[in-house]
Every structure is written in C-alpha cells, then in structure tokens.
Amino acid sequence: MKVLVPVKRVIDYNVKARVKADGSGVDLANVKMSMNPFGEIAVEEAVRLKEKGTVSEIVVVSIGPKQAQETIRTALAMGADRGILIEMDGPVEPLSVAKLLKGVVDAEKPDLAILGKQAIDDDANQTGQMLAALLDWPQGTFASKLEITDGKALVTREIDGGLQTLSLDMPAVITTDLRLNEPRYASLPNIMKAKRKPIDTKTPGDFGVTPDIRLQQITVSEPPKREAGIIVGSVEELVDKLKNEAGVI
Ligand code: AMP
C-alpha cells in the first residue's frame, strides 16, 4: 500500500509571529521555518503504518520555495521513502494546492493521502476536503485514530459528546487531528540516511496547474494587548466592578 503525505513549510510554532509594520502580513524575514505540526502527525502515522507492515511506500510532497526541501528531508528522516518538491515562490492557496496534489495523486496512484487538518500559518482547513472533492474520494477528516483492516480505513473522529468512527473505502483522504499520535524526533543516523533518499523537483506547470490568487488579504493585525489585572479588596468590591465597570453581571 502506498501513502502520499503532503507537508507544508510554515513559520515554526514556537516563534512569536511579528506583523509587518504596514499590516500587509506576517514578517517572515529571518524567521525559523519548520514542518507544519499537523503534517508531522501525518508523517508519523504513515511511518507507524509502514512499521506495522501495512504500508510499503511513503511519498512526501511539499509545494513551496526551494527551502521546502528541508521540510521534505525532515519527513524522510522520520521514515518516509522519497519526496516530491513542487517548487514555486509566493503564496499558494488551498484550491491550487489541492489541484497540484490531485496531479501528484494521478501520477503516483496512492491508496491513501494523509494530510494535516490545517496548516498553522493560514489556518485554512480546506485542502484535504478540496482534494477529496477533486478526486471524488471518501474523506475522514480530523482523525484521532486510524486503523486499516480488510481494505478499509477506519477513522475515529472526536465530535461533540463522543467519538464517531467512519469506515472508508480506499483510496481515501484522511486529515490528522492533534491527538492522533506524538510525532518522533528523527535520530542522527536517520537524518544521515535521509540525505541519500531521492527528492524529485517539479513545477506547477508539470501538472498543468497555474496557481492563481483568488483571495485578497486586506489586513493583518496583532491581537489586542492584555491589560494588567488588579487585586480587589473584598467580594463586594469585585461584584461592584463586575456590575458597574465590566458590565458582565
Ligand atoms: P490548509 O487547508 O491550508 O489548512 O492545509 C491543510 C493541509 O494541506 C496541510 O496540513 C498539508 O497537509 C496540506 N497542505 C497545505 N498547503 C500545502 C503545501 N504548500 N504543500 C504541501 N501540503 C500542503
């Protein structure tokens, strides 16, 4: 069984994002970039399926600038077999990503595509769903557990008030939620081994896709600063402030 895992290069989740002075976006100059955390979870899940013997090959794909190769290398060091970089500069919207991924699926014919549920830069949460629609494949989104049995993918999802389990015919699209697994750190020998694993470089044109920009970002701003708290002298004072200052009771 072959699995395709799309991973996005995003601002590292530990970095405090700075907004550009003109409010046109997040300042990415000299900022640490890493694999989207939900993508790490997707790679980890694919590697665990390979370790169980369910999966024979894991292909990682990233759409982005040349440096997205590093993101692919990280996935190869975690245990993926080979990578595809679709090189392009500038922003790429979920619909274009989904169209490019459809091109990769048509060429690679995987049995499963495991994506992150969202990329933490734009928080779109759209690509997996769009890819499933373009391919007309079943989708199991926000997976917190995945089992492959008798040619079906059993996907457990956390929903309000309980768990829902879907049985999907394959090929299928799965998107990963936070609790699916805890991704491993790549060991030094595996980082060295990953240097020899192949990465193919393609362009959007190779898949007949022209990534167009349909969304216009009007402005980006920092969240309002939190004001300092105060210590009240008595319950009466607290109630008075809640009633007359905050107006919440
Ligand atoms: P989004 O819909 O942008 O929140 O992204 C959801 C998922 O789609 C991500 O976790 C990735 O698996 C995949 N994805 C989005 N953008 C890219 C990209 N540029 N390259 C590879 N995969 C991507």
Side-chain angles (χ1 to χ4, degrees):
M1 202 174 112
K2 185 168 168 179
V3 180
L4 185 76
V5 185
V7 292
K8 187 175 187 186
R9 177 178 185 264
V10 297
I11 185 167
D12 187 274
Y13 75 97
N14 283 309
V15 170
K16 188 176 179 312
R18 284 187 321 262
V19 173
K20 286 186 193 163
D22 63 1
S24 63
V26 171
D27 189 359
L28 294 180
N30 302 318
V31 168
K32 184 175 179 217
M33 305 289 283
S34 301
M35 191 191 308
N36 177 40
F38 291 103
E40 286 181 352
I41 296 173
V43 174
E44 176 66 34
E45 198 62 19
V47 173
R48 288 187 190 188
L49 288 172
K50 191 170 176 198
E51 287 168 345
K52 273 193 216 155
T54 314
V55 161
S56 51
E57 190 182 25
I58 303 168
V59 181
V60 177
V61 54
S62 193
I63 300 150
K66 200 177 228 63
Q67 297 90 319
Q69 265 213 15
E70 294 156 23
T71 313
I72 295 177
R73 286 273 170 230
T74 306
L76 297 178
M78 287 173 72
D81 296 290
R82 62 188 171 87
I84 301 171
L85 168 65
I86 305 178
E87 201 179 319
M88 56 168 284
D89 289 315
V92 51
E93 293 179 2
L95 182 58
S96 299
V97 174
K99 286 180 184 170
L100 287 165
L101 293 178
K102 179 180 184 302
V104 177
V105 167
D106 290 343
E108 293 284 342
K109 311 236 173 325
D111 302 281
L112 271 186
I114 310 183
L115 290 82
K117 75 168 178 181
Q118 77 199 64
I120 61 159
D121 49 2
D122 292 333
D123 277 343
N125 172 18
Q126 295 173 1
T127 310
Q129 296 87 331
M130 286 179 173
L131 178 63
L134 292 176
L135 292 167
D136 198 20
W137 283 8
Q139 58 181 304
T141 54
F142 307 170
S144 61
K145 190 171 168 208
L146 171 63
E147 270 176 282
I148 310 289
T149 38
D150 303 328
K152 304 251 186 207
L154 294 183
V155 175
T156 303
R157 316 175 65 233
E158 289 170 18
I159 55 167
D160 281 351
L163 297 175
Q164 178 190 48
T165 303
L166 304 176
S167 170
L168 308 181
D169 288 330
M170 291 194 288
V173 172
I174 315 276
T175 72
T176 61
D177 211 339
L178 208 54
R179 271 178 286 276
L180 183 59
N181 61 49
E182 262 194 48
R184 71 195 63 194
Y185 289 104
S187 65
L188 193 57
N190 285 343
I191 293 173
M192 300 312 286
K193 252 196 248 164
K195 291 187 199 277
R196 290 193 301 274
K197 293 184 180 176
I199 300 180
D200 258 3
T201 303
K202 304 272 190 196
T203 64
D206 292 337
F207 300 96
V209 175
T210 312
D212 45 10
I213 297 291
R214 297 162 163 242
L215 306 171
Q216 192 195 352
Q217 193 165 279
I218 311 285
T219 180
V220 175
S221 56
E222 304 244 354
K225 296 239 175 328
R226 280 185 72 177
E227 286 177 23
I230 54 162
I231 294 176
V232 292
S234 65
V235 173
E236 288 74 25
E237 191 188 346
L238 173 66
V239 172
D240 178 64
K241 283 189 182 301
L242 290 175
K243 207 181 217 166
N244 300 315
E245 285 179 26
V248 293
I249 56 171

